[in-house]
Amino acid sequence: MVDYKGNVEKIACLACAREQGEINSGEIARSKYFDAHQDCFVPIPGLVIISARRHIQSFAEFTDREQRDFIKFLCRTRLAMKQALGVKVIYLYHREDTEHHFHLCLLPRHGWMKKFGTKTESVRPIINYAKKKFKTRNDIMKVEAATEKLKQFLK
Ligand SMILES: [Zn+2]
């Protein structure tokens, strides 16, 4: 994998690599069963990934404890996005057929995204645009500043 800063890492499952401490960029918060971090591939400020700390594919596999922890952690993370970053609207998406284990993406809608429309199909073009365009030191600093704000809020 190559992250948004151009770092190259060889890993099998990204979320397991995080859990084992092989990767720790973009750390935001952790609950007993879940981990919230900035998406390391896409330089959109406040694009948060919530992954399970256990190698599972689907939330159909959550234990009762994970179910309870998940909804609390998800709501807290969303609240942090709202209060620390002023994010009014997010798109939430999740695919079970990725090469990595269970993770959910919380995509904040920023003003520049309007030109891509507001439907689900706007997500891929937005991500491609961000990957292609947001490469300057300033862009990276914006992402890191948002990550830090969320981290402080969720301390
Ligand atoms: Zn895994």
Side-chain angles (χ1 to χ4, degrees), residues 13 15-16 54-56 100-101:
C13 174
C16 281
R54 202 158 67 84
H55 188 80
I56 49 175
H100 310 295
H101 77 229

Side-chain angles (χ1 to χ4, degrees), residues 62-100:
F62 285 4
T63 63
D64 282 350
R65 282 179 179 181
E66 282 169 336
Q67 288 176 21
R68 281 193 295 273
D69 187 49
F70 179 71
I71 193 66
K72 276 188 103 169
F73 192 58
L74 176 65
C75 293
R76 266 189 81 212
T77 304
R78 176 63 188 97
L79 186 68
M81 292 169 75
K82 186 177 182 171
Q83 297 194 346
L85 304 181
V87 173
K88 292 195 178 86
V89 172
I90 70 159
Y91 284 17
L92 190 64
Y93 59 97
H94 165 54
R95 280 173 49 215
E96 293 189 337
D97 57 352
T98 69
E99 60 271 41
H100 310 295

Side-chain angles (χ1 to χ4, degrees), residues 87-136:
V87 173
K88 292 195 178 86
V89 172
I90 70 159
Y91 284 17
L92 190 64
Y93 59 97
H94 165 54
R95 280 173 49 215
E96 293 189 337
D97 57 352
T98 69
E99 60 271 41
H100 310 295
H101 77 229
F102 175 86
H103 66 283
L104 195 70
C105 307
L106 286 71
L107 172 72
R109 291 290 302 202
H110 295 301
W112 61 266
M113 296 174 181
K114 278 194 191 110
K115 66 179 172 194
F116 295 97
T118 55
K119 300 266 170 66
T120 309
E121 55 265 33
S122 68
V123 173
R124 180 46 60 189
I126 284 169
I127 285 170
N128 290 344
Y129 178 87
K131 280 180 161 178
K132 210 171 143 188
K133 299 274 183 181
F134 301 155
K135 289 186 167 172
T136 68

Side-chain angles (χ1 to χ4, degrees), residues 27-29 76 80 84 145-155:
E27 277 179 3
I28 293 172
R76 266 189 81 212
T147 304
E148 191 54 34
K149 279 184 189 168
L150 291 171
K151 195 174 175 175
Q152 290 305 322
F153 187 94
L154 289 166
K155 240 180 186 176

